Amino acid sequence: MGVAIAAETDELIAQFLDRLWLKQGVSKHTSSAYQTDLRNFERFLSSHQRGSLLSVHATELEDYLLWRRQQGLSPRSTNRALSAIKKFYQYACSERLCAFDPSSRLQRPKQPQSIPHSLSEAEVDALLQAPQVDDPIQLRDRAMLEVLYASGLRVTELVQLTASQVSMQQGLVRVIGKGNKERLVPLGEEALDWLQRYIREARPQLLRQPCDWLFITRRGGPLTRQAFWHRIKYYAGQADIRSHLSPHTLRHAFATHLLNHGADLRVLQMLLGHSDLSTTQIYTHVARERLQQLHAAHHPRA
């Protein structure tokens, strides 16, 4: 691809992402992923001499999906790439940059439904107690872990919390989720107690200058998602937790444990901020498996 064509493509993708952010409020992570997906598609077109983004037909898109399958790329990543491509051509057609949408009839690859890994209640308790709370950083981490397990927030939502989003009096946190959608989530007494202790004892020691970020580093700024994920892994090691961990481990545990204790699926959907109930229903498989294990362990005729 020539330098001039590459620059035009980059500008076109940037304009599309700007429009997407204005209309749908996508996160930086999603925007970056879409940018990568579109550039990968453009590289495929260039290396296979299939034209440019604005000159393809459905055949080229079908060949690209086939090529991804031959490369062993997962259906999940291909679905995301196809989502980026479809949104791009919807934008291109609306701006009359192309005469038709070549992606309109493409079907998303079917992907197996992955069951999220969770922790037992005993493992969660061990993880929460791992931080040594006489240290301000570890007291901050204890408060973060407690809030995470009490609310089921995404890690990104947690690290981006500001003090003004939390109502101590009402025991609620106002969360800004995907697509800039807001939801109110209760925290519970235990999480509120640790949060108040962190704000009273640890946060003033970490604060370098006035800021509204709730959870801050030694430099007085907000944590990154990756930094807090490393903290979770560290405490899992301290607690000798050998179960599979992911950045959303406590979110999965929150959802599973609520269902195990009788929570309604619709309520759980609202708490997690899922736009589609089918996304929430995956946790019923985890909860059902756990109930079967409990039945097998404790019923006299199991």
Side-chain angles (χ1 to χ4, degrees):
M1 189 191 309
V3 175
I5 296 176
E8 289 177 6
T9 298
D10 287 346
E11 179 64 22
L12 179 63
I13 292 174
Q15 290 172 358
F16 156 67
L17 294 174
D18 285 345
R19 174 65 64 83
L20 196 63
W21 179 80
L22 284 170
K23 293 187 69 175
Q24 299 183 22
V26 296
S27 67
K28 290 182 179 179
H29 176 75
T30 300
S31 181
S32 177
Y34 279 9
Q35 182 180 57
T36 299
D37 291 331
L38 290 169
R39 283 178 173 169
N40 286 341
F41 179 44
E42 176 64 35
R43 277 194 285 270
F44 167 83
L45 294 173
S46 178
S47 62
H48 291 76
Q49 298 180 339
R50 297 297 186 89
S52 65
L53 281 177
L54 296 180
S55 65
V56 301
H57 293 76
T59 302
E60 283 79 21
L61 284 168
E62 291 167 354
D63 289 345
Y64 179 57
L65 298 182
L66 176 61
W67 177 83
R68 289 183 63 92
R69 188 162 65 247
Q70 292 171 342
Q71 299 301 308
L73 297 170
S74 71
R76 183 181 295 275
S77 68
T78 296
N79 270 335
R80 191 196 66 192
L82 186 55
S83 178
I85 289 169
K86 280 180 169 291
K87 288 180 184 296
F88 171 79
Y89 284 114
Q90 288 169 6
Y91 158 77
C93 287
S94 69
E95 294 295 306
R96 298 185 179 180
L97 299 174
C98 55
F100 59 92
D101 181 353
S103 69
S104 60
R105 296 186 180 181
L106 288 180
Q107 299 296 316
R108 299 179 185 276
K110 290 184 178 180
Q111 59 186 47
Q113 193 177 37
S114 59
I115 306 300
H117 293 276
S118 183
L119 297 177
S120 69
E121 292 180 34
E123 286 174 323
V124 169
D125 191 53
L127 180 64
L128 295 178
Q129 294 189 46
Q132 304 297 312
V133 295
D134 53 343
D135 173 73
I137 287 292
Q138 297 205 35
L139 176 52
R140 176 206 68 189
D141 294 344
R142 174 66 186 263
M144 293 184 78
L145 290 169
E146 291 281 358
V147 169
L148 199 59
Y149 179 54
S151 61
L153 300 186
R154 301 174 178 92
V155 173
T156 301
E157 295 169 344
L158 177 77
V159 299
Q160 292 179 351
L161 276 181
T162 61
S164 58
Q165 287 176 245
V166 180
S167 171
M168 294 292 188
Q169 186 175 5
Q170 294 179 311
L172 295 171
V173 57
R174 180 173 55 86
V175 187
I176 313 298
K178 290 186 175 181
N180 279 336
K181 294 179 180 177
E182 291 190 11
R183 66 186 190 277
L184 289 174
V185 182
L187 286 178
E189 290 185 8
E190 190 78 13
L192 278 173
D193 287 345
W194 282 105
L195 187 55
Q196 288 173 331
R197 182 175 170 184
Y198 156 71
I199 292 172
R200 184 176 62 250
E201 299 177 18
R203 194 172 184 273
Q205 296 184 52
L206 302 174
L207 203 60
R208 295 292 175 266
Q209 58 185 2
C211 78
D212 198 32
W213 297 112
L214 182 58
F215 298 111
I216 54 178
T217 66
R218 290 191 190 276
R219 296 182 177 181
L223 277 81
T224 64
R225 180 178 184 274
Q226 293 78 9
F228 185 62
W229 166 226
H230 286 304
R231 302 299 292 172
I232 292 175
K233 289 195 291 185
Y234 169 75
Y235 293 122
Q238 295 294 303
D240 196 30
I241 294 172
R242 302 180 184 181
S243 301
H244 174 83
L245 291 174
S246 77
H248 284 329
T249 292
L250 285 179
R251 178 172 164 87
H252 298 326
F254 163 84
T256 305
H257 298 169
L258 275 179
L259 284 175
N260 283 344
H261 287 277
D264 179 82
L265 200 61
R266 287 284 183 185
V267 172
L268 184 59
Q269 178 191 3
M270 293 171 60
L271 293 174
L272 292 172
H274 288 161
S275 57
D276 192 330
L277 185 63
S278 63
T279 309
T280 315
Q281 284 174 330
I282 195 168
Y283 289 106
T284 61
H285 299 287
V286 184
R288 191 180 303 123
E289 182 180 330
R290 175 65 178 153
L291 290 173
Q292 288 173 341
Q293 291 172 352
L294 289 171
H295 183 275
H298 300 291
H299 195 282
R301 294 182 180 273

